[in-house]
Amino acid sequence: MARDTGPAGAAGDRLAAVLRPVRAGNGFEEALEQILQVVRLGLVPAGERLPAERELAQRLGISRVTLREVLKVLQDQGLVEARRGRYGGTFVRPRADGGGGDELRRRLAGVDIDDVLRFREVLEVGAAGLCAAQGLTDGQARRLREALEHTRDAPPADYRRRDTLLHLTLAESCGSPTLTGQYAAVRAAVNDLLDCIPLLVRNLEHSQRQHAALVEAVLEGDADGARETMREHCAGTAALLRGFLT
């Protein structure tokens, strides 16, 4: 059985999968990258507040001056907004709908879609097989079931965020912070691509059936089944993205 790393359902624990001390030489750049991942992965939903400046600065190992420079960039990009007062702070703004020509070109500039999708598949298939083969603790199994349940009957506008959290929960269950960090990065890139294409109800229904089969295979210790289900799931997303974007 895998070692239980503690409750990961809380927002702080979710952020721990992405936020980590940066290296001194690239503190600003790495802090910006990590907070962008938090926003792009939906770890803090639109309309909700990022952790307080003191907490963020401590997590990242940077000064609050550097952190404020990072948050200013995010404000300038329209990703967050600062509110003053007793209930103030830095809040995540709703993302604009994808599909506009300029926005699409900006997001696709310099992106090797095939490379992103291949790397995503390698990580996801490997994580699914590993979790099934090594087994999950009771706590990990509970969190995976809860993440799956949260994707059921999700409103379309929130489906991709909840889908992301389900996949991130599985990656975290491997017990490898390196794998989790790599997955968070590639999933953020995938989400940027997904934001460029429309939500298709039929695809969401199919995806949800695959999610259920995947979780069942993992919990039953069926490593081959988990890998194959995840491979098929990734292939479906890849087909949509290549169809719309290439």
Side-chain angles (χ1 to χ4, degrees), residues 190-212:
V190 169
N191 281 1
D192 259 1
L193 297 175
L194 286 171
D195 283 344
C196 295
I197 70 174
L199 283 167
L200 305 177
V201 173
R202 182 172 179 178
N203 171 250
L204 297 187
E205 293 172 347
H206 181 220
S207 177
Q208 196 58 28
R209 290 194 296 271
Q210 291 175 328
H211 284 159

PDB file of all heavy atoms in Angstrom, residues 190-212:
ATOM      1  N   VAL A 190      -2.067  22.148 -21.481  1.00  0.00           N
ATOM      2  CA  VAL A 190      -3.236  21.523 -22.104  1.00  0.00           C
ATOM      3  C   VAL A 190      -4.483  22.378 -21.886  1.00  0.00           C
ATOM      4  O   VAL A 190      -5.301  22.563 -22.798  1.00  0.00           O
ATOM      5  CB  VAL A 190      -3.451  20.101 -21.548  1.00  0.00           C
ATOM      6  CG1 VAL A 190      -4.806  19.529 -21.982  1.00  0.00           C
ATOM      7  CG2 VAL A 190      -2.332  19.169 -22.019  1.00  0.00           C
ATOM      8  N   ASN A 191      -4.645  22.910 -20.672  1.00  0.00           N
ATOM      9  CA  ASN A 191      -5.813  23.735 -20.394  1.00  0.00           C
ATOM     10  C   ASN A 191      -5.843  24.990 -21.258  1.00  0.00           C
ATOM     11  O   ASN A 191      -6.911  25.446 -21.676  1.00  0.00           O
ATOM     12  CB  ASN A 191      -5.843  24.115 -18.913  1.00  0.00           C
ATOM     13  CG  ASN A 191      -6.359  22.988 -18.046  1.00  0.00           C
ATOM     14  OD1 ASN A 191      -6.678  21.909 -18.530  1.00  0.00           O
ATOM     15  ND2 ASN A 191      -6.432  23.224 -16.752  1.00  0.00           N
ATOM     16  N   ASP A 192      -4.673  25.570 -21.518  1.00  0.00           N
ATOM     17  CA  ASP A 192      -4.630  26.725 -22.405  1.00  0.00           C
ATOM     18  C   ASP A 192      -5.138  26.348 -23.799  1.00  0.00           C
ATOM     19  O   ASP A 192      -5.839  27.124 -24.460  1.00  0.00           O
ATOM     20  CB  ASP A 192      -3.197  27.259 -22.498  1.00  0.00           C
ATOM     21  CG  ASP A 192      -2.980  28.479 -21.617  1.00  0.00           C
ATOM     22  OD1 ASP A 192      -3.942  28.886 -20.923  1.00  0.00           O
ATOM     23  OD2 ASP A 192      -1.873  29.025 -21.618  1.00  0.00           O
ATOM     24  N   LEU A 193      -4.771  25.163 -24.260  1.00  0.00           N
ATOM     25  CA  LEU A 193      -5.246  24.699 -25.552  1.00  0.00           C
ATOM     26  C   LEU A 193      -6.746  24.409 -25.514  1.00  0.00           C
ATOM     27  O   LEU A 193      -7.485  24.767 -26.441  1.00  0.00           O
ATOM     28  CB  LEU A 193      -4.479  23.434 -25.976  1.00  0.00           C
ATOM     29  CG  LEU A 193      -2.973  23.595 -26.187  1.00  0.00           C
ATOM     30  CD1 LEU A 193      -2.339  22.245 -26.489  1.00  0.00           C
ATOM     31  CD2 LEU A 193      -2.680  24.577 -27.319  1.00  0.00           C
ATOM     32  N   LEU A 194      -7.203  23.768 -24.441  1.00  0.00           N
ATOM     33  CA  LEU A 194      -8.625  23.445 -24.325  1.00  0.00           C
ATOM     34  C   LEU A 194      -9.491  24.699 -24.303  1.00  0.00           C
ATOM     35  O   LEU A 194     -10.622  24.694 -24.788  1.00  0.00           O
ATOM     36  CB  LEU A 194      -8.870  22.619 -23.063  1.00  0.00           C
ATOM     37  CG  LEU A 194      -8.411  21.162 -23.104  1.00  0.00           C
ATOM     38  CD1 LEU A 194      -8.514  20.534 -21.724  1.00  0.00           C
ATOM     39  CD2 LEU A 194      -9.229  20.360 -24.118  1.00  0.00           C
ATOM     40  N   ASP A 195      -8.951  25.776 -23.728  1.00  0.00           N
ATOM     41  CA  ASP A 195      -9.705  27.021 -23.688  1.00  0.00           C
ATOM     42  C   ASP A 195      -9.920  27.619 -25.073  1.00  0.00           C
ATOM     43  O   ASP A 195     -10.721  28.540 -25.240  1.00  0.00           O
ATOM     44  CB  ASP A 195      -8.992  28.049 -22.801  1.00  0.00           C
ATOM     45  CG  ASP A 195      -9.190  27.764 -21.329  1.00  0.00           C
ATOM     46  OD1 ASP A 195     -10.097  26.978 -20.991  1.00  0.00           O
ATOM     47  OD2 ASP A 195      -8.432  28.317 -20.511  1.00  0.00           O
ATOM     48  N   CYS A 196      -9.195  27.108 -26.059  1.00  0.00           N
ATOM     49  CA  CYS A 196      -9.316  27.612 -27.424  1.00  0.00           C
ATOM     50  C   CYS A 196     -10.397  26.875 -28.212  1.00  0.00           C
ATOM     51  O   CYS A 196     -10.673  27.246 -29.363  1.00  0.00           O
ATOM     52  CB  CYS A 196      -7.986  27.474 -28.169  1.00  0.00           C
ATOM     53  SG  CYS A 196      -6.651  28.490 -27.513  1.00  0.00           S
ATOM     54  N   ILE A 197     -10.963  25.825 -27.655  1.00  0.00           N
ATOM     55  CA  ILE A 197     -11.963  25.048 -28.389  1.00  0.00           C
ATOM     56  C   ILE A 197     -13.263  25.030 -27.596  1.00  0.00           C
ATOM     57  O   ILE A 197     -13.270  25.250 -26.382  1.00  0.00           O
ATOM     58  CB  ILE A 197     -11.481  23.605 -28.668  1.00  0.00           C
ATOM     59  CG1 ILE A 197     -11.421  22.783 -27.380  1.00  0.00           C
ATOM     60  CG2 ILE A 197     -10.117  23.627 -29.364  1.00  0.00           C
ATOM     61  CD1 ILE A 197     -11.095  21.319 -27.616  1.00  0.00           C
ATOM     62  N   PRO A 198     -14.384  24.766 -28.258  1.00  0.00           N
ATOM     63  CA  PRO A 198     -15.672  24.779 -27.552  1.00  0.00           C
ATOM     64  C   PRO A 198     -15.866  23.545 -26.687  1.00  0.00           C
ATOM     65  O   PRO A 198     -15.286  22.489 -26.933  1.00  0.00           O
ATOM     66  CB  PRO A 198     -16.687  24.804 -28.705  1.00  0.00           C
ATOM     67  CG  PRO A 198     -15.979  24.137 -29.837  1.00  0.00           C
ATOM     68  CD  PRO A 198     -14.539  24.545 -29.712  1.00  0.00           C
ATOM     69  N   LEU A 199     -16.701  23.703 -25.674  1.00  0.00           N
ATOM     70  CA  LEU A 199     -17.127  22.559 -24.872  1.00  0.00           C
ATOM     71  C   LEU A 199     -18.195  21.797 -25.646  1.00  0.00           C
ATOM     72  O   LEU A 199     -19.170  22.383 -26.119  1.00  0.00           O
ATOM     73  CB  LEU A 199     -17.704  23.026 -23.539  1.00  0.00           C
ATOM     74  CG  LEU A 199     -16.726  23.457 -22.449  1.00  0.00           C
ATOM     75  CD1 LEU A 199     -17.469  24.189 -21.345  1.00  0.00           C
ATOM     76  CD2 LEU A 199     -16.002  22.247 -21.876  1.00  0.00           C
ATOM     77  N   LEU A 200     -18.021  20.501 -25.786  1.00  0.00           N
ATOM     78  CA  LEU A 200     -18.968  19.661 -26.503  1.00  0.00           C
ATOM     79  C   LEU A 200     -19.626  18.715 -25.507  1.00  0.00           C
ATOM     80  O   LEU A 200     -18.952  17.910 -24.865  1.00  0.00           O
ATOM     81  CB  LEU A 200     -18.256  18.867 -27.596  1.00  0.00           C
ATOM     82  CG  LEU A 200     -17.443  19.693 -28.611  1.00  0.00           C
ATOM     83  CD1 LEU A 200     -16.727  18.771 -29.588  1.00  0.00           C
ATOM     84  CD2 LEU A 200     -18.348  20.673 -29.342  1.00  0.00           C
ATOM     85  N   VAL A 201     -20.938  18.790 -25.400  1.00  0.00           N
ATOM     86  CA  VAL A 201     -21.648  17.999 -24.398  1.00  0.00           C
ATOM     87  C   VAL A 201     -21.388  16.512 -24.592  1.00  0.00           C
ATOM     88  O   VAL A 201     -21.140  15.776 -23.619  1.00  0.00           O
ATOM     89  CB  VAL A 201     -23.157  18.282 -24.460  1.00  0.00           C
ATOM     90  CG1 VAL A 201     -23.910  17.332 -23.530  1.00  0.00           C
ATOM     91  CG2 VAL A 201     -23.440  19.728 -24.062  1.00  0.00           C
ATOM     92  N   ARG A 202     -21.397  16.074 -25.821  1.00  0.00           N
ATOM     93  CA  ARG A 202     -21.174  14.649 -26.060  1.00  0.00           C
ATOM     94  C   ARG A 202     -19.773  14.232 -25.592  1.00  0.00           C
ATOM     95  O   ARG A 202     -19.603  13.167 -24.997  1.00  0.00           O
ATOM     96  CB  ARG A 202     -21.349  14.335 -27.544  1.00  0.00           C
ATOM     97  CG  ARG A 202     -21.167  12.857 -27.867  1.00  0.00           C
ATOM     98  CD  ARG A 202     -21.535  12.555 -29.304  1.00  0.00           C
ATOM     99  NE  ARG A 202     -21.334  11.147 -29.615  1.00  0.00           N
ATOM    100  CZ  ARG A 202     -21.613  10.604 -30.807  1.00  0.00           C
ATOM    101  NH1 ARG A 202     -22.129  11.338 -31.763  1.00  0.00           N
ATOM    102  NH2 ARG A 202     -21.397   9.317 -31.005  1.00  0.00           N
ATOM    103  N   ASN A 203     -18.806  15.051 -25.857  1.00  0.00           N
ATOM    104  CA  ASN A 203     -17.450  14.737 -25.426  1.00  0.00           C
ATOM    105  C   ASN A 203     -17.349  14.699 -23.903  1.00  0.00           C
ATOM    106  O   ASN A 203     -16.672  13.829 -23.334  1.00  0.00           O
ATOM    107  CB  ASN A 203     -16.472  15.759 -25.987  1.00  0.00           C
ATOM    108  CG  ASN A 203     -15.083  15.619 -25.410  1.00  0.00           C
ATOM    109  OD1 ASN A 203     -14.634  16.461 -24.638  1.00  0.00           O
ATOM    110  ND2 ASN A 203     -14.387  14.541 -25.741  1.00  0.00           N
ATOM    111  N   LEU A 204     -18.027  15.617 -23.226  1.00  0.00           N
ATOM    112  CA  LEU A 204     -17.999  15.639 -21.768  1.00  0.00           C
ATOM    113  C   LEU A 204     -18.631  14.373 -21.195  1.00  0.00           C
ATOM    114  O   LEU A 204     -18.137  13.810 -20.208  1.00  0.00           O
ATOM    115  CB  LEU A 204     -18.717  16.876 -21.234  1.00  0.00           C
ATOM    116  CG  LEU A 204     -18.121  18.238 -21.596  1.00  0.00           C
ATOM    117  CD1 LEU A 204     -18.840  19.344 -20.853  1.00  0.00           C
ATOM    118  CD2 LEU A 204     -16.634  18.279 -21.319  1.00  0.00           C
ATOM    119  N   GLU A 205     -19.725  13.924 -21.803  1.00  0.00           N
ATOM    120  CA  GLU A 205     -20.374  12.700 -21.332  1.00  0.00           C
ATOM    121  C   GLU A 205     -19.462  11.490 -21.519  1.00  0.00           C
ATOM    122  O   GLU A 205     -19.353  10.630 -20.630  1.00  0.00           O
ATOM    123  CB  GLU A 205     -21.697  12.498 -22.072  1.00  0.00           C
ATOM    124  CG  GLU A 205     -22.749  13.545 -21.738  1.00  0.00           C
ATOM    125  CD  GLU A 205     -23.975  13.450 -22.620  1.00  0.00           C
ATOM    126  OE1 GLU A 205     -23.912  12.731 -23.651  1.00  0.00           O
ATOM    127  OE2 GLU A 205     -24.994  14.072 -22.292  1.00  0.00           O
ATOM    128  N   HIS A 206     -18.808  11.447 -22.672  1.00  0.00           N
ATOM    129  CA  HIS A 206     -17.869  10.352 -22.941  1.00  0.00           C
ATOM    130  C   HIS A 206     -16.691  10.411 -21.969  1.00  0.00           C
ATOM    131  O   HIS A 206     -16.262   9.384 -21.412  1.00  0.00           O
ATOM    132  CB  HIS A 206     -17.380  10.451 -24.389  1.00  0.00           C
ATOM    133  CG  HIS A 206     -16.431   9.370 -24.784  1.00  0.00           C
ATOM    134  ND1 HIS A 206     -15.333   9.600 -25.576  1.00  0.00           N
ATOM    135  CD2 HIS A 206     -16.402   8.050 -24.484  1.00  0.00           C
ATOM    136  CE1 HIS A 206     -14.666   8.461 -25.749  1.00  0.00           C
ATOM    137  NE2 HIS A 206     -15.299   7.513 -25.102  1.00  0.00           N
ATOM    138  N   SER A 207     -16.186  11.596 -21.765  1.00  0.00           N
ATOM    139  CA  SER A 207     -15.070  11.784 -20.859  1.00  0.00           C
ATOM    140  C   SER A 207     -15.435  11.329 -19.453  1.00  0.00           C
ATOM    141  O   SER A 207     -14.630  10.705 -18.748  1.00  0.00           O
ATOM    142  CB  SER A 207     -14.645  13.254 -20.849  1.00  0.00           C
ATOM    143  OG  SER A 207     -13.603  13.489 -19.941  1.00  0.00           O
ATOM    144  N   GLN A 208     -16.664  11.629 -19.040  1.00  0.00           N
ATOM    145  CA  GLN A 208     -17.078  11.254 -17.697  1.00  0.00           C
ATOM    146  C   GLN A 208     -17.162   9.738 -17.533  1.00  0.00           C
ATOM    147  O   GLN A 208     -16.816   9.197 -16.472  1.00  0.00           O
ATOM    148  CB  GLN A 208     -18.425  11.903 -17.371  1.00  0.00           C
ATOM    149  CG  GLN A 208     -18.764  11.905 -15.906  1.00  0.00           C
ATOM    150  CD  GLN A 208     -17.713  12.605 -15.060  1.00  0.00           C
ATOM    151  OE1 GLN A 208     -17.011  13.507 -15.526  1.00  0.00           O
ATOM    152  NE2 GLN A 208     -17.580  12.199 -13.814  1.00  0.00           N
ATOM    153  N   ARG A 209     -17.614   9.045 -18.557  1.00  0.00           N
ATOM    154  CA  ARG A 209     -17.641   7.581 -18.496  1.00  0.00           C
ATOM    155  C   ARG A 209     -16.224   7.023 -18.378  1.00  0.00           C
ATOM    156  O   ARG A 209     -15.973   6.060 -17.640  1.00  0.00           O
ATOM    157  CB  ARG A 209     -18.340   7.010 -19.736  1.00  0.00           C
ATOM    158  CG  ARG A 209     -19.843   7.271 -19.760  1.00  0.00           C
ATOM    159  CD  ARG A 209     -20.526   6.418 -20.811  1.00  0.00           C
ATOM    160  NE  ARG A 209     -20.087   6.744 -22.165  1.00  0.00           N
ATOM    161  CZ  ARG A 209     -20.657   7.666 -22.932  1.00  0.00           C
ATOM    162  NH1 ARG A 209     -21.687   8.369 -22.473  1.00  0.00           N
ATOM    163  NH2 ARG A 209     -20.210   7.897 -24.162  1.00  0.00           N
ATOM    164  N   GLN A 210     -15.296   7.638 -19.091  1.00  0.00           N
ATOM    165  CA  GLN A 210     -13.907   7.206 -18.999  1.00  0.00           C
ATOM    166  C   GLN A 210     -13.338   7.474 -17.610  1.00  0.00           C
ATOM    167  O   GLN A 210     -12.589   6.651 -17.068  1.00  0.00           O
ATOM    168  CB  GLN A 210     -13.067   7.909 -20.070  1.00  0.00           C
ATOM    169  CG  GLN A 210     -13.375   7.460 -21.488  1.00  0.00           C
ATOM    170  CD  GLN A 210     -12.611   8.259 -22.519  1.00  0.00           C
ATOM    171  OE1 GLN A 210     -12.336   9.442 -22.329  1.00  0.00           O
ATOM    172  NE2 GLN A 210     -12.283   7.625 -23.628  1.00  0.00           N
ATOM    173  N   HIS A 211     -13.682   8.614 -17.041  1.00  0.00           N
ATOM    174  CA  HIS A 211     -13.229   8.921 -15.685  1.00  0.00           C
ATOM    175  C   HIS A 211     -13.685   7.842 -14.701  1.00  0.00           C
ATOM    176  O   HIS A 211     -12.907   7.379 -13.856  1.00  0.00           O
ATOM    177  CB  HIS A 211     -13.793  10.270 -15.228  1.00  0.00           C
ATOM    178  CG  HIS A 211     -13.115  11.446 -15.826  1.00  0.00           C
ATOM    179  ND1 HIS A 211     -13.704  12.698 -15.888  1.00  0.00           N
ATOM    180  CD2 HIS A 211     -11.889  11.589 -16.401  1.00  0.00           C
ATOM    181  CE1 HIS A 211     -12.871  13.548 -16.456  1.00  0.00           C
ATOM    182  NE2 HIS A 211     -11.771  12.902 -16.785  1.00  0.00           N
ATOM    183  N   ALA A 212     -14.957   7.465 -14.806  1.00  0.00           N
ATOM    184  CA  ALA A 212     -15.501   6.463 -13.889  1.00  0.00           C
ATOM    185  C   ALA A 212     -14.777   5.127 -14.061  1.00  0.00           C
ATOM    186  O   ALA A 212     -14.435   4.458 -13.070  1.00  0.00           O
ATOM    187  CB  ALA A 212     -16.995   6.292 -14.124  1.00  0.00           C
TER     188      ALA A 212
END
